[in-house]
């Protein structure tokens, strides 16, 4: 088994060899650690770039700004819109491929204009175990690399080193873009993304753990941590949440008794595979 020290040394050597880097920065656990590592190794030759669009909640954009400031890395906000891509809007199981292609094309163009050699994205070794078509887009693009994946770093290891280095996101819950909440086949629109953003912001008032509002057209399926389910199922609170989400345009509001889990929207893909 490769020791953690060896993985960090490998990451450090990669960053040194790359020289100038732009880190695709969401302010999540992986991209924050990668930004911190780049800042440590190449200093002012590293920049964090947050490509923001309708798929990113405003709260997360503001959080990314604050985290970059804490890390001490130069930070750039780059506005894009995946909604210009008909393939992305169609919301097939390959949606993340088209999203990442659009996003990293824009990042690569920005980096070229700034004479930056490499664009870095934060996939880690654990990401190989889930259905992630976006990784295919990274493989197809020139000048884009996934150093954490190449170094073999897992999410658990990234959290542990982040804590040691004082990176503020070491214990931050996982996050994903708003489009990941939209059921496959249902077109991704600015209106649906805003519905999800506002619905999740409302439900989070009553939860201490993860919150996802999955958009199934006229039905909102709420996923929260198991320990938060009793609080949301309490009759008065359930009625309040149902009323608020119906104001946002949902006809039906449900609470998923299985609780929050990553990649739950991919369940329909596995069902099709088994048919």
């Amino acid at each position: 088994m490769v020791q953690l020290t060896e993985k960090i040394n490998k990451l450090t050597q990669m960053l040194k060899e790359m020289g100038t880097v732009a880190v695709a920065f969401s302010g999540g656990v992986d991209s924050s650690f990668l930004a911190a590592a780049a800042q440590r190794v190449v200093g002012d030759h590293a920049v964090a770039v947050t490509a923001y669009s309708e798929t990113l909640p405003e709260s997360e954009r503001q959080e990314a700004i604050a985290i970059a400031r804490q890390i001490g890395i130069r930070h750039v906000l780059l506005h894009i819109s995946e909604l210009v891509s008909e393939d992305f809007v169609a919301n097939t199981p390959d949606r993340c491929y088209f999203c990442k292609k659009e996003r990293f094309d824009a990042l690569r163009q920005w980096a070229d204009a700034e004479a930056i050699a490499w664009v870095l994205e934060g996939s880690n070794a654990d990401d190989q175990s889930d259905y992630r078509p976006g990784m295919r887009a990274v493989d197809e693009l020139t000048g884009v690399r996934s150093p954490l994946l190449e170094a073999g770093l897992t999410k658990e290891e990234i959290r542990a080193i982040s804590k040691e280095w004082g990176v503020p996101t070491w214990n931050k819950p996982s996050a994903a873009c708003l489009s990941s909440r939209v059921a496959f086949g249902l077109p991704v629109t600015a209106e649906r993304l805003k519905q999800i953003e506002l619905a999740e912001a409302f439900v989070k008032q009553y939860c201490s753990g993860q919150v996802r509002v999955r958009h199934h057209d006229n039905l909102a399926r709420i996923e929260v941590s198991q320990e938060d389910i009793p609080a949301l199922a309490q009759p008065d609170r359930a009625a309040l949440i149902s009323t608020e989400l119906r104001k946002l345009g949902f006809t039906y509001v449900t609470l998923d008794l299985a609780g929050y889990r990553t990649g739950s929207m991919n369940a329909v893909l596995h069902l099709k595979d088994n048919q």
Side-chain angles (χ1 to χ4, degrees), residues 85-97:
S85 167
E86 292 182 3
D87 291 320
F88 172 79
V89 170
N91 197 19
T92 67
D94 280 342
R95 179 196 62 235
C96 289
Y97 168 82

Side-chain angles (χ1 to χ4, degrees), residues 54-270:
E54 298 91 342
T55 67
L56 181 72
E58 176 60 20
S59 60
E60 290 187 26
R61 184 169 78 99
Q62 293 302 324
E63 194 169 358
I65 293 171
I67 292 168
R69 189 180 298 120
Q70 288 178 268
I71 291 171
I73 191 170
R74 182 165 73 95
H75 186 216
V76 172
L77 294 170
L78 181 66
H79 182 261
I80 65 165
S81 181
E82 299 93 341
L83 299 183
V84 301
S85 167
E86 292 182 3
D87 291 320
F88 172 79
V89 170
N91 197 19
T92 67
D94 280 342
R95 179 196 62 235
C96 289
Y97 168 82
F98 298 114
C99 173
K100 211 137 195 174
K101 198 74 178 285
E102 194 79 28
R103 185 169 291 253
F104 279 89
D105 274 341
L107 285 169
R108 187 60 263 174
Q109 288 177 35
W110 181 90
D112 287 342
E114 297 290 321
I116 294 174
W118 292 96
V119 171
L120 311 183
E121 68 94 34
S123 294
N124 64 61
D126 293 333
D127 291 330
Q128 295 175 301
S129 62
D130 193 15
Y131 176 71
R132 293 182 181 266
M135 294 177 70
R136 190 171 85 246
V138 173
D139 291 338
E140 293 174 2
L141 292 167
T142 302
V144 180
R145 291 179 68 175
S146 309
L148 305 182
L149 177 60
E150 293 180 46
L153 286 159
T154 65
K155 178 74 83 174
E156 183 180 357
E157 291 170 334
I158 289 165
R159 288 189 184 277
I161 305 162
S162 293
K163 185 177 182 180
E164 181 182 327
W165 287 2
V167 181
T169 52
W170 70 270
N171 62 346
K172 184 178 180 179
S174 60
C177 78
L178 292 172
S179 61
S180 68
R181 277 74 142 168
V182 183
F184 290 126
L186 190 65
V188 178
T189 65
E191 292 74 21
R192 286 186 173 124
L193 296 173
K194 182 55 69 172
Q195 272 184 293
I196 295 166
E197 181 178 0
L198 294 175
E200 290 188 350
F202 187 81
V203 175
K204 282 177 181 176
Q205 299 177 81
Y206 308 106
C207 300
S208 58
Q210 286 277 25
V211 174
R212 296 288 186 272
V213 175
R214 310 295 188 183
H215 200 309
H216 298 266
D217 198 7
N218 61 351
L219 182 146
R221 177 169 58 87
I222 301 171
E223 292 180 14
V224 296
S225 302
Q226 285 284 347
E227 57 269 25
D228 284 325
I229 289 177
L232 296 196
Q234 192 272 333
D236 289 345
R237 187 162 292 168
L240 182 65
I241 293 170
S242 177
T243 297
E244 188 64 27
L245 268 60
R246 291 217 243 174
K247 288 179 184 176
L248 294 175
F250 294 105
T251 305
Y252 305 103
V253 179
T254 67
L255 178 60
D256 193 322
L257 298 183
Y260 165 76
R261 62 270 190 209
T262 60
S264 73
M265 297 300 251
N266 294 337
V268 294
L269 304 181
H270 303 315

Side-chain angles (χ1 to χ4, degrees), residues 5-42:
T5 302
E6 292 179 50
K7 294 181 182 182
I8 294 299
N9 289 341
K10 183 176 180 179
L11 175 63
T12 299
Q13 188 58 40
M14 273 192 283
L15 291 169
K16 283 181 180 177
E17 291 172 356
M18 284 187 262
T20 55
V21 299
V23 179
F25 185 74
S26 67
V29 176
D30 297 325
S31 67
S32 295
F33 170 73
L34 183 54
Q39 175 69 13
R40 281 172 166 240
V41 176
V42 299

